[in-house]
Amino acid sequence: MAGRLAGSRAARELARRMGFMGSFRAGLSNVGGGPSLPVEICRRDAGGVSPCISSRVTARPGGEFPRGKVAFVAEMEFLAELLKERINCYRVLDDDGRTISGSSFKEVSKEMALEMYSGMVTLQTMDTIFYEAQRQGRISFYLTTIGEEAINIASAAALTMDDVVFPQYREPGILLWRGFTLQEFANQCFGNKYDYGKGRQMPIHYGSNKLNYFTVSSPIATQIPHAVGAAYSLKMEGKQACAVTYFGDGGTSEGDFHAALNFAAVMEVPVIFFCRNNGWAISTPTSEQFRSDGAVVRGQAYGIRSIRIDGNDALAVYSAVHAAREMAISESRPILIEALTYRVGHHSTSDDSTKYRPVHEIEHWRTARDPISRYRKWVQRNGWWSDENETELRKNVKKELMNAIQISERAEKPPLSELFTDVYDVPTSNLREQEALLRQTIQRHREDYPPDVPL
Amino acid sequence: MAMAARRGATANRGQLVGILRGFSSSSSVVDSWQKNKEGIAGGKPLNLFSAINQALHIALETDSRAYVFGEDVSFGGVFRCTTGLVERFGRKRVFNTPLCEQGIAGFAVGLAAMGNRAIAEIQFADYIYPAFDQIVNEAAKFRYRSGNEFNCGGDPLWSCWPWWHYHSQSPEAFFCHVPGLKPSEAKGLLLACIRDPNPVIFFEPKWLYRLAVEEVPDHDYMLPLSQAEVMREGTDITLVGWGAQLLVMEQACEIAEKEGISCELIDLKTLIPWDKEAVEVSVNKTGRLLVSHEAPVTGGFGAEIAASVVERCFLRLEAPVARVCGLDTPFPLVYEPFYLPTKNKIVDAIKATVNY
């Protein structure tokens, strides 16, 4: 059942049906609404350990403490470390690309659907070709987004250009959606003079002020608190926009994650925290990353409305981000989305994941659980796409990429002066001095320096 | 040459050793490691990461309360330094931690404070900054602030400003021990660090993991920390460095030699405390000093060495102390050869100093 929804009240309705934790429950006083989940409690007698039993605690007259009123109880009961069941996962399409009966989702037009589909294919093709280029020694490094194309493209499609993005590094699809060209991607990977980053960082560290996509940096999770500060700015400006930040399961272990969520809740800012739970942080599986039920339950710990979704379902991602954005902006609140997925590729070109996970597991996710073929089935069943379209698209994208790589490879590097700019807004005296000394050294030893960096 | 471990007054307390991988990413050509004049004799050829691995095996074997942990150490580590440890010592002693450097450092402090040897790995030196608070405010001050009631820690440390760019940084000026990195020495120094009753940070230059190869004895041995080594004797100028930069400096010395300049090259090995006496003796002989490090020049450790030597050898100095270091910018990928203190810059500085 398709839900045709518009407006923030409708978005809330959709959110309710999608099962956002913490929406529409006026149960617990002073806690801004909590879900009506059965509370699993362990009773501990004087003697020892009793088995956990489910119960509802009857409220008694309470007392005031700094945060407000709480009900007192005579029984000593500990909240269980885990709920009886894991938090449910929202999906729209089944594994065969059919809409699940009773599912609610934000409808997409044919044009939007095709744009999303071709975005996913383009991203996958770009990854394959750039990965190969690294293997051939043409670029120094690369990391792919294979398996997470739905997360990348569908979430981007649900945002507007005014929404400010703070990526980790596995989200180039957002940039692609927003109009970053294959040539621009190639320029950054080759670090040539057209790279907006001026050759300073490794490949895949893209950024674009124009497209509201903050430049990627390697350290994990540092971008998360940035997004919160940026969201506060948007709120103060009264803009109809939010901040969105992406990170992996590993990123949720960093201190920055916790600081950011707490700040966002207290400051009441319009930010979407998008966790790509792809099962692996280099070689570390999620079982060694946390013992909570994934990332989604942590939202509630900070007073943040959250949802768990099937990250390999393009329509689910699209709908959830759309709803999250509406709530974030209209209610000025943070939202946490945990998208379950799988990192099909190795962590990067410096990694061989067959060393720590079974090949059959990787192959299963590459094929049976591939988000692109799943979405393709839905698009084709609607009569919007054909095998001929597919072949044509892949051929054209590949050609464009090969061309872009050739052009990037031949282009000059940025000039030497850019080594010293942007440390500050203008170079300081010590930098000017160092530049002068360096130029003298180069004059004396020109042959020691790469010829493709103009002086 | 093995050395008995020093035992502090509170030997029942623990040691905290931080191991930082990926100290630098210089891509210059490696000179031959085989001229190992004062190295350890015997053993079979091993590269650097294998020597480190061997040291860790020995550390865990000889102390049942030693632990190795960090991100991705279980499968052998991103640089293979922890290969085979889980299989041999089990998951309770060798384990992955969640992705959190402040957690790794804080956890290590607590573990060490309870009398264990906590060997914590930080995957790239660039990622040590979240752990800075735990290292600087906690590990380093643990013994001092408690009046030696507790320890895992030692002296107060430097505080400097942060740098960025993210797999090539050289943050040693912020910290302490930075052993030199011949494989045989790496093994001996790492074991000494692990057994030192103070928290120690051990930096390893990742680009040498495979490139540096020499013969490493199988047995358990330690090398003294804070003892500089004269790698090359000379009479005209003293060069001081540590870590991977020594390779570059050696090459520069060879070139200078051909032009009639006799260079004395000293591997400092440890930064805190550093072997001032050895450098003083050398500068008193040569009358000239050049310090070189990859880290940015301003406020880098070379500044400390220069100032100390000027204090001790002022009247003997024939020229200002030269520093050939990284630039005061973040580490720029495409400009790496321009940024680094390459051998041509060192040779130029040697000549300028000698001809002052």
Side-chain angles (χ1 to χ4, degrees):
Chain A
M1 177 184 85
R4 180 159 258 280
L5 304 164
S8 66
R9 207 185 62 177
R12 282 205 291 281
E13 173 61 19
L14 174 60
R16 186 188 70 75
R17 287 200 241 146
M18 283 172 6
F20 271 88
M21 281 173 70
S23 51
F24 320 113
R25 183 83 183 98
L28 299 168
S29 59
N30 300 317
V31 190
S36 57
L37 299 164
V39 176
E40 206 42 31
I41 297 171
C42 293
R43 293 184 188 278
R44 195 173 274 275
D45 307 315
V49 181
S50 306
C52 291
I53 55 178
S54 181
S55 86
R56 290 225 168 266
V57 177
T58 38
R60 289 168 199 259
E64 288 275 347
F65 280 100
R67 181 92 200 273
K69 201 168 176 201
V70 287
F72 289 128
V73 292
E75 300 87 356
M76 178 173 67
E77 289 155 356
F78 287 78
L79 293 178
E81 64 275 17
L82 289 170
L83 297 171
K84 202 163 162 189
E85 279 168 21
R86 296 191 61 189
I87 299 298
N88 294 326
C89 181
Y90 168 67
R91 68 158 36 175
V92 174
L93 298 174
D94 66 16
D95 283 331
D96 201 37
R98 288 176 212 280
T99 47
I100 296 167
S101 154
S103 71
S104 316
F105 63 99
K106 178 95 176 90
E107 237 182 46
V108 292
S109 64
K110 172 181 171 183
E111 196 193 338
M112 171 68 97
L114 289 180
E115 231 182 298
M116 277 168 54
Y117 180 70
S118 77
M120 288 164 71
V121 170
T122 303
L123 176 57
Q124 186 187 62
T125 310
M126 178 176 94
D127 271 349
T128 310
I129 297 202
F130 279 138
Y131 191 89
E132 263 314 296
Q134 194 281 340
R135 278 339 207 190
Q136 293 163 14
R138 296 165 89 177
I139 56 177
S140 57
F141 175 86
Y142 195 73
L143 63 74
T144 65
T145 306
I146 309 285
E148 299 180 52
E149 295 88 350
I151 284 174
N152 268 245
I153 300 296
S155 69
L159 301 169
T160 70
M161 288 295 283
D162 289 332
D163 299 319
V164 184
V165 178
F166 289 83
Q168 180 63 73
Y169 45 55
R170 224 177 282 280
E171 305 90 11
I174 321 294
L175 257 186
L176 183 67
W177 178 267
R178 291 185 166 196
F180 211 63
T181 64
L182 298 177
Q183 188 66 68
E184 285 172 311
F185 281 111
N187 289 336
Q188 195 285 326
C189 287
F190 281 89
N192 63 35
K193 67 181 186 186
Y194 303 108
D195 168 25
Y196 304 127
K198 300 173 188 171
R200 294 164 182 159
Q201 293 209 79
M202 287 159 62
I204 69 95
H205 289 66
Y206 316 111
S208 167
N209 188 345
K210 186 177 80 176
L211 301 178
N212 266 334
Y213 185 98
F214 275 77
T215 303
V216 171
S217 75
S218 308
I220 302 294
T222 49
Q223 72 281 5
I224 310 178
H226 300 172
V228 179
Y232 188 75
S233 173
L234 293 172
K235 171 171 147 170
M236 293 303 287
E237 291 173 76
K239 284 192 87 156
Q240 288 304 298
C242 66
V244 188
T245 180
Y246 297 81
F247 44 90
D249 37 285
T252 67
S253 292
E254 283 284 7
D256 276 340
F257 168 81
H258 302 276
L261 261 65
N262 196 40
F263 269 61
V266 170
M267 311 295 292
E268 296 177 11
V269 295
V271 60
I272 298 175
F273 295 111
F274 196 109
C275 176
R276 298 177 291 96
N277 183 345
N278 64 20
W280 295 93
I282 306 188
S283 73
T284 306
T286 47
S287 57
E288 292 177 359
Q289 196 64 249
F290 36 65
R291 285 299 155 83
S292 53
D293 174 17
V296 66
V297 292
R298 298 170 176 205
Q300 193 172 50
Y302 291 104
I304 293 176
R305 195 171 294 166
S306 322
I307 191 169
R308 163 173 283 157
I309 66 175
D310 179 347
N312 287 11
D313 179 344
L315 294 181
V317 173
Y318 181 80
S319 301
V321 173
H322 180 84
R325 181 181 178 277
E326 287 274 349
M327 286 188 279
I329 296 171
S330 64
E331 298 175 54
S332 199
R333 62 165 61 247
I335 306 284
L336 171 65
I337 298 176
E338 177 187 27
L340 299 183
T341 182
Y342 188 86
R343 191 197 78 208
V344 172
H346 305 307
H347 166 69
S348 72
T349 47
S350 307
D351 177 49
D352 173 8
S353 62
T354 60
K355 283 198 163 77
Y356 50 80
R357 56 184 189 175
V359 174
H360 67 77
E361 177 186 295
I362 304 170
E363 283 315 299
H364 169 71
W365 283 91
R366 185 197 302 281
T367 53
R369 309 292 293 272
D370 173 36
I372 298 180
S373 35
R374 182 172 164 198
Y375 183 57
R376 176 180 171 180
K377 286 176 185 160
W378 182 77
V379 172
Q380 285 203 212
R381 271 191 211 106
N382 281 338
W384 296 340
W385 194 251
S386 70
D387 290 349
E388 289 75 39
N389 293 141
E390 181 81 12
T391 313
E392 182 76 17
L393 172 65
R394 287 188 183 266
K395 192 183 78 181
N396 289 340
V397 171
K398 184 168 178 191
K399 189 159 149 221
E400 198 183 325
L401 276 162
M402 301 308 292
N403 198 42
I405 288 177
Q406 275 193 357
I407 293 174
S408 284
E409 202 164 33
R410 286 197 292 254
E412 266 181 345
K413 300 302 185 204
L416 184 66
S417 54
E418 301 286 22
L419 203 182
F420 297 96
T421 54
D422 305 328
V423 181
Y424 308 98
D425 59 344
V426 290
T428 49
S429 59
N430 59 319
L431 288 175
R432 287 198 304 271
E433 199 179 295
Q434 286 170 20
E435 183 173 357
L437 284 170
L438 175 63
R439 288 184 182 279
Q440 283 172 26
T441 303
I442 296 169
Q443 259 195 331
R444 285 193 293 265
H445 305 281
R446 189 65 187 94
E447 70 290 348
D448 289 346
Y449 293 95
D452 59 350
V453 177
L455 297 176
Chain B
M1 81 217 181
M3 212 179 97
R6 285 184 285 128
R7 293 277 170 209
T10 51
N12 58 324
R13 292 297 179 181
Q15 288 77 32
L16 182 159
V17 183
I19 300 179
L20 288 98
R21 309 246 169 264
F23 182 30
S24 80
S25 74
S26 167
S27 54
S28 53
V29 174
V30 173
D31 213 37
S32 165
W33 274 117
Q34 267 58 42
K35 336 179 245 184
N36 182 19
K37 294 174 195 128
E38 290 171 53
I40 315 295
K44 57 179 199 248
L46 280 188
N47 60 24
L48 182 61
F49 80 79
S50 303
I52 300 288
N53 184 246
Q54 229 185 57
L56 293 173
H57 273 268
I58 290 173
L60 288 169
E61 194 178 279
T62 53
D63 185 348
S64 61
R65 296 188 75 184
Y67 297 82
V68 172
F69 51 91
E71 293 157 21
D72 302 296
V73 301
S74 284
F75 88 110
V78 295
F79 294 112
R80 323 303 304 140
C81 293
T82 50
T83 307
L85 293 177
V86 167
E87 290 81 355
R88 216 173 137 203
F89 300 102
R91 300 194 152 278
K92 295 214 182 299
R93 292 185 63 204
V94 181
F95 50 89
N96 287 344
T97 60
L99 209 173
C100 186
E101 292 75 16
Q102 71 188 90
I104 291 170
F107 178 92
V109 169
L111 187 61
M114 294 297 284
N116 305 289
R117 274 186 226 280
I119 306 169
E121 181 189 286
I122 301 288
Q123 206 166 79
F124 285 89
D126 318 61
Y127 303 149
I128 199 170
Y129 301 114
F132 201 73
D133 185 30
Q134 283 291 343
I135 293 169
V136 172
N137 275 331
E138 301 302 313
K141 298 178 167 73
F142 219 77
R143 189 196 297 269
Y144 193 83
R145 74 187 185 196
S146 66
N148 208 14
E149 286 286 297
F150 301 98
N151 82 77
C152 76
D155 306 307
L157 294 169
W158 297 89
S159 77
C160 273
W161 53 92
W163 300 103
W164 25 84
H165 291 182
Y166 290 123
H167 295 79
S168 316
Q169 291 180 63
S170 305
E172 78 273 12
F174 306 135
F175 298 110
C176 50
H177 302 266
V178 181
L181 276 311
K182 293 186 180 170
S184 60
E185 292 188 1
K187 177 179 166 181
L189 290 168
L190 178 53
L191 281 168
C193 286
I194 289 169
R195 292 163 176 163
D196 193 279
N198 296 291
V200 177
I201 300 187
F202 188 92
F203 287 91
E204 299 160 7
K206 68 178 186 298
W207 71 282
L208 289 183
Y209 279 141
R210 288 192 161 70
L211 288 175
V213 179
E214 67 171 7
E215 297 201 334
V216 180
D218 282 338
H219 61 267
D220 182 350
Y221 63 92
M222 293 188 289
L223 291 176
L225 301 176
S226 298
Q227 196 171 301
E229 182 193 338
V230 178
M231 290 173 62
R232 181 193 185 96
E233 284 185 7
T235 52
D236 295 329
I237 180 171
T238 301
L239 280 80
V240 173
W242 54 89
Q245 187 62 7
L246 288 165
L247 266 169
V248 180
M249 295 168 83
E250 252 184 328
Q251 291 171 16
C253 290
E254 290 283 313
I255 294 172
E257 176 104 30
K258 292 194 174 86
E259 307 203 20
I261 302 175
S262 164
C263 301
E264 180 145 297
L265 179 60
I266 296 180
D267 176 0
L268 214 53
K269 297 199 184 165
T270 302
L271 294 193
I272 301 276
W274 62 281
D275 194 343
K276 289 183 188 172
E277 286 67 37
V279 175
E280 190 183 341
V281 161
S282 177
V283 174
N284 280 334
K285 180 170 73 168
T286 64
R288 297 176 190 86
L289 175 65
L290 183 156
V291 187
S292 186
H293 54 66
E294 277 190 22
V297 62
T298 301
F301 202 72
E304 148 68 17
I305 296 172
S308 293
V309 166
V310 165
E311 277 172 6
R312 290 170 170 235
C313 309
F314 182 70
L315 292 176
R316 178 66 187 90
L317 284 167
E318 308 267 344
V321 174
R323 289 180 296 161
V324 184
C325 304
L327 301 172
D328 285 344
T329 71
F331 199 110
L333 179 64
V334 87
Y335 301 112
E336 187 176 292
F338 298 91
Y339 173 92
L340 287 171
T342 45
K343 75 170 184 263
N344 56 15
K345 290 182 185 174
I346 299 174
V347 171
D348 283 355
I350 290 172
K351 289 190 206 169
T353 307
V354 165
N355 295 326
Y356 186 77

